[in-house]
Amino acid sequence: MRARRVIAAASVAALGVLSLAACGRSAPGVAAYVGDTAYSVERIDAIHAEAQAKYETTVRAAFQQQNGPSASPSPETLQIGATPQDMLNLLVGIDLAKRIIAEKKIPVQDQIKAEELGESFGAPGTEYAKLAADWYDLFLSLQAGLPPAELTDDLRATIYDKLVEGKVAPPGWTTEQQREAFSDPAIAQQVAAVVALSAAFQEEVKREDVSLNPRYSTLEIPALLQVPNSGFGRYNLPYLDQDSTVTDISTPEPVPSTTGSDAGPEAGPDAGPVPGPDAGPGTEGTAS
């Protein structure tokens, strides 16, 4: 994957050192601070353990229903795709999003149901499912409420890399193919909104003195992309990098637009790939 560092030099300096020790807050049991709020490693591990246990029970029951009561799925099959890093991303993301929404007075609608989302994750009734539903309600509201950013080739390439990583888009597109694929107004609008959200999160990181335990390498936006005539694809977009203090998204100038995404949750959280410039209706691929 191409390494891109397109953040402005001033923003790099403003982010400063992001470790807990550098901020004078060295607590091994704390995963991250957002202002005066601490998120403990213990809580993050507990959320992940509950989701893993529920996922294992759900998958095992479905497997035995298909293959008989004595059948046992492989250990790999029983592993939930979410990690403790994902739980941290949700907790901090919800915190930052609520601060931005309160400051900018952006309305929030209850669009995503925890029960449905938990079923799609294979972890119904868990705190993970509730946090994910809360986050995606905030995410969609911020997409609609923040002025979208102007997309450049570098920004499109960064988003494209993350879409490939999330198996939402196929690999191998040239810059021209990326331009063509992202020229779809529905796709471009959503991508521009996520870039704007990344910039807003970076500002909150500076304002709220966000600091990160070295065991976690980054903080990422759990993003959604609604593919036309399909569902939602999920991918992660970093806004804080522990190792280099540089993110993959610059702080772009917003374009004069007040139109936000009106994507609803009806299609579910998973989608086929972004339709490429030569992609027909039979293009294969799934979101992770």
Side-chain angles (χ1 to χ4, degrees):
M1 182 180 297
R2 295 185 304 274
R4 280 185 160 74
R5 293 292 181 263
V6 295
I7 192 168
S11 297
V12 175
L15 282 176
V17 179
L18 300 170
S19 69
L20 293 175
C23 295
R25 297 188 290 186
S26 180
V30 176
Y33 287 101
V34 180
D36 294 331
T37 302
Y39 294 98
S40 71
V41 173
E42 182 180 8
R43 183 185 178 192
I44 290 165
D45 288 345
I47 296 169
H48 180 261
E50 181 195 34
Q52 171 59 46
K54 186 66 174 182
Y55 182 82
E56 183 173 339
T57 299
T58 302
V59 170
R60 190 182 299 278
F63 188 86
Q64 291 178 343
Q65 185 175 11
Q66 288 185 335
N67 300 280
S70 62
S72 180
S74 67
E76 294 78 11
T77 303
L78 293 174
Q79 290 297 313
I80 193 169
T83 66
Q85 176 73 57
D86 294 315
M87 310 307 163
L88 179 61
N89 289 338
L90 288 172
L91 287 169
V92 176
I94 288 170
D95 191 329
L96 296 179
K98 285 182 175 179
R99 293 169 191 259
I100 295 170
I101 281 171
E103 178 188 351
K104 299 184 179 298
K105 298 179 172 58
I106 297 173
V108 179
Q109 295 183 351
D110 184 11
Q111 301 184 65
I112 308 294
K113 303 301 180 185
E115 297 81 4
E116 297 175 1
L117 201 57
E119 290 289 344
S120 73
F121 289 165
T126 60
E127 186 175 1
Y128 170 44
K130 181 182 183 302
L131 288 172
D134 289 346
W135 159 253
Y136 286 125
D137 277 338
L138 296 169
F139 172 83
L140 293 173
S141 300
L142 286 166
Q143 271 197 316
L146 292 174
E150 182 175 3
L151 294 179
T152 64
D153 284 345
D154 280 335
L155 292 172
R156 274 188 289 265
T158 297
I159 295 289
Y160 170 66
D161 284 347
K162 292 303 175 182
L163 291 172
V164 171
E165 187 177 301
K167 300 181 182 177
V168 183
W173 286 355
T174 64
T175 298
E176 188 57 41
Q177 287 175 313
Q178 292 171 32
R179 288 176 189 161
E180 188 174 346
F182 289 169
S183 67
D184 183 322
I187 298 293
Q189 182 178 340
Q190 294 179 75
V191 171
V194 174
V195 172
L197 178 54
S198 175
F201 267 36
Q202 289 177 39
E203 288 300 314
E204 286 299 308
V205 164
K206 291 182 287 183
R207 183 181 300 115
E208 299 299 337
D209 189 19
V210 175
S211 44
L212 185 62
N213 189 311
R215 72 180 285 181
Y216 302 98
S217 61
T218 186
L219 285 173
E220 301 173 313
I221 294 172
L224 292 175
L225 180 71
Q226 187 177 33
V227 180
N229 302 317
S230 188
F232 285 115
R234 299 195 303 272
Y235 65 103
N236 292 325
L237 185 66
Y239 60 93
L240 183 156
D241 189 323
Q242 173 72 280
D243 294 332
S244 65
T245 76
V246 180
T247 63
D248 286 331
I249 293 293
S250 64
T251 305
E253 292 295 327
V255 296
S257 171
T258 58
T259 303
S261 171
D262 58 359
E266 291 81 4
D270 295 323
V274 177
D278 300 319
T283 303
E284 296 180 355
T286 58
S288 67

